[in-house]
Amino acid sequence: MYAQMVKSEGGDAEATPEELAFQARIDRDEKIEPKEWMPEGYRKTLIRQIGQHAHSEIVGQLPEGNWITRAPTLERKAILLAKVQDEAGHGLYLYSAAETLGVSRDELLEKLHSGEMKYSSIFNYPTLTWADMGAVGWLVDGAAIMNQVPLQRTSYGPYSRAMIRICKEESFHQRQGYHIMMKMARGTPEQKEMAQDALNRFWFPSLMMFGPSDKDSVHSEKSMAWKIKINTNDELRQRFVNETVPQAEFLGLTVPDPELAWNEEKQGYDFSEPDWAEFFDVIKGNGPCNRERLATRKDAWDEGAWFRDGLTAHAEKSAKRRAAARHAAE
Ligand code: BYC
């Protein structure tokens, strides 16, 4: 149906037969696989979204990595360590999915390091106390799941398949965060205060994770027509608030929003918009931790050069040896 309305990528010209056939496949919920024909805009949008998502997973290790050595018990340390390792795995699945679109991991990382590509705004906020590990797991992973569950049905095959495993792991992450919050909220008055403080600081940045409000979203319309995105930013933000407010009530904590109120008519909560000026400033590179996060990633890249060189040298040597063996056998 949408196919009838499709315009060529170039602008107002009528869509080409190839573009129409492509859109018809999307409309039939067929998966698009690597090396199949796709409009250049579809490929570019996917590289942008998957690449930024991969970067978010990798940069997202930093605020939590900050607490591994200071986890309060051995059990908490082991759990946090496993979670941070999972994030590295998510980054790798996603970089691999992006590579099927013809972009190398090195190119994507170069664009992250130069600031040309973004990563999620949320990771530019500091994690100041152990309660922040609870709030990050509960709210940040909770928001990530809300966004990523629909992406399991995204139209690009490798991306949708990567999402299935990622979502399973994210569910464990969200639960471990909520478990920390339960422990803190039911602990001493000081611990409960730390949990409330973490909620106060992470609530609005978590709402920002879904992206700007629909009226300011640049890519949503096209991405939804291509089923790269399944829902709008505001739809997912509303779902997140609806699910999270009762969880906060169960903890005995207060969501830091005086406008928050149940709206019987829409069967959802009314809530305050985040400070969008702050959001746009953070994604421009001016958040509290942007410089520190990028500097840490660049250092890790530079310090890993000897290891990458070693791996490449070994791969080249093995390839030469295999070629020589083939030659000898002929
Ligand atoms: N942060 O047109 P819009 C995680 C940018 S981490 C930074 O609505 P789109 C996890 C956007 O890129 C979660 N930038 O964009 C890891 C665009 O700028 P450009 C990561 C943002 O793409 C470790 C501009 O604003 N999840 O899971 O249609 C531990 C206009 O926005 C943000 C994903 O990446 C933001 N929050 O929609 C724990 C999921 N929001 O590129 C957890 C996949 C918007 O034109 N991504 N921008 O310069 C998506 O679903 C979509 O890309 C978004 C944004 C909903 C995020």
Side-chain angles (χ1 to χ4, degrees):
M1 191 179 62
Y2 180 83
Q4 309 309 316
M5 296 145 46
V6 165
K7 296 279 181 208
S8 171
E9 280 196 71
D12 288 337
E14 284 307 312
T16 64
E18 262 173 331
E19 286 169 336
L20 286 172
F22 179 83
Q23 189 61 47
R25 289 189 63 195
I26 300 272
D27 294 344
R28 286 196 300 271
D29 282 333
E30 277 179 34
K31 291 279 180 250
I32 308 300
E33 296 298 340
K35 298 195 180 139
E36 289 180 341
W37 187 87
M38 58 185 77
E40 197 45 27
Y42 177 83
R43 197 180 70 86
K44 282 201 177 130
T45 303
L46 277 171
I47 291 176
R48 182 185 60 80
Q49 181 166 316
I50 301 173
Q52 293 187 354
H53 193 166
H55 298 327
S56 304
E57 301 284 353
I58 299 298
V59 178
Q61 293 181 293
L62 301 176
E64 292 184 310
N66 184 32
W67 280 92
I68 292 171
T69 54
R70 291 177 286 168
T73 65
L74 179 61
E75 193 188 11
R76 290 286 183 204
K77 189 198 279 278
I79 295 171
L80 187 60
L81 200 57
K83 177 184 192 292
V84 172
Q85 284 174 341
D86 283 352
E87 312 297 1
H90 298 174
L92 292 184
Y93 314 150
L94 289 164
Y95 284 127
S96 301
E99 279 178 321
T100 65
L101 293 156
V103 62
S104 75
R105 198 175 303 182
D106 285 3
E107 280 172 76
L108 290 173
L109 287 170
E110 213 173 282
K111 288 188 174 161
L112 168 69
H113 298 157
S114 71
E116 194 184 330
M117 275 183 94
K118 297 186 170 74
Y119 57 88
S120 182
S121 49
I122 191 72
F123 301 117
N124 294 305
Y125 291 86
T127 44
L128 303 176
T129 72
W130 172 253
D132 289 7
M133 293 303 93
V136 167
W138 170 36
L139 300 174
V140 174
D141 288 88
I145 297 172
M146 196 54 82
N147 167 278
Q148 289 168 20
V149 164
L151 290 179
Q152 294 176 114
R153 290 182 284 120
T154 192
S155 60
Y156 188 55
Y159 190 26
S160 76
R161 291 188 286 274
M163 276 302 135
I164 293 171
R165 177 148 174 196
I166 292 178
C167 283
K168 286 195 176 126
E169 291 175 349
E170 294 289 12
S171 303
F172 149 68
H173 297 173
Q174 196 269 356
R175 274 158 187 259
Q176 70 85 38
Y178 196 68
H179 195 251
I180 293 175
M181 292 305 271
M182 279 208 292
K183 199 86 181 163
M184 303 283 289
R186 290 174 187 173
T188 63
E190 288 82 2
Q191 286 173 319
K192 185 165 181 186
E193 211 175 292
M194 279 167 73
Q196 181 64 55
D197 174 59
L199 170 56
N200 293 349
R201 283 180 292 107
F202 276 94
W203 176 254
F204 284 109
S206 299
L207 296 189
M208 293 175 190
M209 286 177 69
F210 296 95
S213 60
D214 291 351
K215 65 179 174 19
D216 295 320
S217 170
V218 186
H219 305 288
S220 283
E221 194 184 342
K222 195 75 193 158
S223 289
M224 287 178 71
W226 276 328
K227 296 188 185 162
I228 290 174
K229 271 169 91 164
I230 309 295
N231 302 92
T232 73
N233 302 351
D234 285 338
E235 274 168 14
L236 293 175
R237 195 171 4 255
Q238 178 73 57
R239 271 191 215 170
F240 174 76
V241 173
N242 291 352
E243 278 202 12
T244 311
V245 170
Q247 293 170 3
E249 283 168 358
F250 182 76
L251 291 171
L253 300 179
T254 309
V255 172
D257 178 0
E259 305 299 322
L260 187 77
W262 177 256
N263 180 329
E264 193 59 36
E265 213 171 292
K266 74 172 182 191
Q267 285 293 298
Y269 287 92
D270 291 330
F271 57 95
S272 304
E273 295 270 317
D275 177 347
W276 291 120
E278 175 184 316
F279 168 78
F280 286 112
D281 208 32
V282 170
I283 67 173
K284 253 194 259 148
N286 301 322
C289 299
N290 293 59
R291 283 170 195 80
E292 183 188 328
R293 300 287 187 240
L294 262 190
T296 309
R297 285 309 316 159
K298 277 192 231 165
D299 284 351
W301 178 252
D302 293 342
E303 283 163 21
W306 66 272
F307 185 70
R308 290 191 303 279
D309 289 349
L311 276 182
T312 322
H314 177 73
E316 278 168 5
K317 218 167 137 190
S318 311
K320 272 191 196 144
R321 217 181 293 128
R322 276 197 305 274
R326 259 200 316 273
H327 189 67
E330 277 164 15

